[in-house]
Amino acid sequence: MKFLKECTVKMILIFAVVTAFSCVYANNVLQLAAKGKTEYVIVEGANAIPAEKHAAKELSSYLQKMTGAKFPVIAEKDAANAKFAIYVGATDFAAKQGIKQNSIGDEEWIVRTVGKNLIVTGGRPRG
């Protein structure tokens, strides 16, 4: 069971990163990092469940391995001063963009850009 959860989280993270980088081809350029630096933070919702907290940490770790930049994980209440953010899981920001957490199936994911921000969310507990 633990192996399955880890694989699911890693697949979500890979999907999110590939989607973010593919936005370059959709005329919505998201440059997450350059020359080992980033202006992005990773944001957890106020009521993040353990799977969402784990996903945020894993995303931070993998993005750092890929880019050399450190992507801090912060609470949503502290995100007001962030220039750009990657919102992971059920966040108020996602809700304000019309993403209704309770309407997402257990195995469904949503990856959406809003300006230069990125939302990565899914149904609970594994999405």
Side-chain angles (χ1 to χ4, degrees):
M1 183 70 163
K2 183 179 178 183
F3 174 76
L4 183 58
K5 286 182 182 179
E6 288 177 9
C7 287
T8 301
V9 168
K10 288 179 184 174
M11 288 178 61
I12 292 168
L13 295 174
I14 291 168
F15 177 74
V17 170
V18 169
T19 301
F21 286 118
S22 70
C23 289
V24 170
Y25 299 104
N27 295 325
N28 190 8
V29 178
L30 288 184
Q31 185 171 354
L32 298 179
K35 298 180 182 178
K37 297 185 187 214
T38 186
E39 296 180 280
Y40 279 84
V41 296
I42 297 174
V43 178
E44 296 176 332
N47 298 312
I49 62 174
E52 292 167 343
K53 290 181 180 195
H54 181 71
K57 288 180 182 128
E58 286 279 296
L59 180 58
S60 174
S61 175
Y62 279 99
L63 286 174
Q64 184 172 4
K65 288 176 185 178
M66 292 168 51
T67 66
K70 184 173 180 176
F71 288 77
V73 177
I74 64 171
E76 191 166 18
K77 65 180 176 68
D78 300 325
N81 295 328
K83 187 168 184 179
F84 304 117
I86 302 170
Y87 293 87
V88 175
T91 62
D92 290 337
F93 182 80
K96 288 176 185 170
Q97 306 310 314
I99 297 173
K100 297 178 182 168
Q101 191 68 36
N102 60 358
S103 68
I104 305 171
D106 290 352
E107 302 292 333
E108 292 180 319
W109 307 317
I110 295 174
V111 179
R112 181 179 299 167
T113 57
V114 177
K116 298 288 185 185
N117 297 303
L118 181 65
I119 298 171
V120 181
T121 191
R124 286 183 166 178
R126 293 182 305 277

